[in-house]
Each structure stands twice: as structure tokens, then as C-alpha cells.
Amino acid sequence: MDNEQPIIELRGVTKAFGRQLVLDEIDLKVARGRNTVIIGRSGTGKSVLLKHIVGLLRPQRGEVFYEGQRIDNLGERALVPIRRQIGFVFQLNALFDSKTVIENVAFPMTENSTVRLDRRQIHDLARKCLSMVGLAEFEHKRPAELSGGEKKRVALARAIALDPPPKVILYDEPTAGLDPQRSDVINKLIRQLQEQVHVTSIVVTHDMKTAAEVGDQVLMLWNGRFIADGTSKELLNTKEPHVRRFVEGLAEPGDILTLTA
Ligand SMILES: Nc1ncnc2c1ncn2[C@@H]1O[C@H](COP(=O)(O)OP(=O)(O)O)[C@@H](O)[C@H]1O
Ligand SMILES: [Mg+2]
């Protein structure tokens, strides 16, 4: 298992915006069929990291590989067949308000000229994916009529509604803003996709519960680097001070400003 080629690999990925260094020589190997969780506080570069995996952002230095193929230097056209294999659940869902739920789920397939399904097959697959997330009855609603958790589930259905099914799903904060029970539904769906569809998942989150429930491997991003890498159990028992504070939900010493001089 260990010497199997990782499905995704980052080597020395460095990304800065102006003078702000966000990713500082990041190395990451994503094991096939496993759930890799990346935790870290807001603004540490978790979303930036995910975007490098689908070529939405390019590193200044370093390399990104998908199935052994270098992809960070590919043009938009060459990225299309790779993006077809990767589902992306965006942080803000990115649903179209003017479209119905089922149209949203079907949209990537209708837009993708390489999909060989006809309209009816696309809708059948979209409906199947909606059933998987428990939203079969909602297909004619619009996003504005849904709760936060329902919108997340629509975004998830859309990420998996590919033919063939995606090999990788990237989840950006899949449980943010959801109550604990709705979060649990999403966590279970992530596990279910791993078990039933054998998908490889990368889950970015600041939710320790999600990390513990879905993560086979958990890494913590801090100041552009990974300062922890292990099982969720190992992370919960770590002595590394930044990781400890994150796990316990405690502020960093520098976070608290005093109001009096
Ligand atoms: N396209 C961009 N242009 C400039 N700065 C960006 C861009 N995308 C992200 N950043 C900055 O990079 C940092 C990390 O962002 P992000 O990856 O979104 O954090 P998070 O860990 O919360 O997902 C933030 O300070 C953000 O402002
Ligand atoms: Mg983010």
C-alpha cells in the first residue's frame, strides 16, 4: 500500500500573493482511496492548496502531479480531462440561484462537451445523485428555498454527478455553518462515498469533529507548512502547541488584543 503511487502529489509547492507567502514548499502525497483531511485556521491557505490540485491556481515554485502526470504546467485545454475526474465541493457551494436543484446538479455534465450522455441520461444520473444525498424530493426547488445543509448536499450531489464517477472529490469546508447533526450527515456521506464508490477525498476543514470522523490521514497547515501529519487520534494526543490549541479550540497567545494600553 505504502509504495503504491499516490493519486495526487505536491512537491515543494510554493505560492505567494504579492509579499504574502501562503504555501511554503508544501509536500503532500494523497493515498488512493483514502480520506486526507487538511485542518488549519481561517486564512492559512487551505482553499489555495485545493485550487492547486485542479489548476485553478498555479504555484510559483514546485510541482503538482495527478496520477503521476505533472499538471501544474498544463494549459486550460489539457486540464479538462483531469478536471472531469475530480469533483469539487466549493466552500460557498457555488450553486446557481436561477436554476433548479436538478439543473444545478446536471449543469457540469450539460456544459461538458466530452460527456457522452444524452439529456435524459444526464437527468437520470443527476436524480440518482440527489437520492444518494437524500434530496430526491427537492429536485424542482431552487437554492434560495433550501437550508444551508441542503445546499451543501446539493453541492455534494453535483460533485459526484459525473460519468464515469469522479476518482477524487475535493471538499472545501463541507460542514461549515451546519449544526452538529447536519454536519454528521455530511461526514457520513463522505465516508459512504469512500466505501461505496472508492473515491479518494481531500477534505479541508476547521471542524475537528469532521477531521476525526472522516480522516484517515490528517494534516495541519500552519504558516505555509504542515506542522502535523498523522491519524486523527495522533493529532488529538499531540504535544505540538499550535496543533494542541487548534484541537482544543483555544486562541493563540497573539490572537487576543488587550483593550487597555
Ligand atoms: N486570489 C487571491 N489573491 C490574493 N490573495 C489571495 C487569493 N486567494 C487567497 N488569498 C489569500 O491567501 C490566504 C489564504 O487564503 P485561503 O486559502 O482562502 O485560506 P483558508 O485556509 O481560510 O481557506 C488569505 O490571506 C487570502 O486572503
Ligand atoms: Mg477556505
Side-chain angles (χ1 to χ4, degrees), residues 43 46-48 91 172-173 204:
K46 303 182 300 297
S47 297
V48 165
Q91 190 160 3
D172 197 348
E173 307 277 7
V204 152

Side-chain angles (χ1 to χ4, degrees), residues 205-249:
T205 185
H206 53 236
D207 178 342
M208 274 314 295
K209 185 100 195 302
T210 294
E213 299 274 309
V214 310
D216 298 313
Q217 180 188 11
V218 184
L219 302 106
M220 179 161 161
L221 191 62
W222 173 267
N223 277 350
R225 300 204 168 225
F226 289 127
I227 58 166
D229 178 356
T231 62
S232 55
K233 218 175 193 168
E234 285 165 348
L235 248 73
L236 291 171
N237 294 319
T238 183
K239 294 204 164 58
E240 205 292 327
H242 298 303
V243 184
R244 266 252 67 78
R245 283 195 281 269
F246 185 87
V247 165
E248 288 172 9

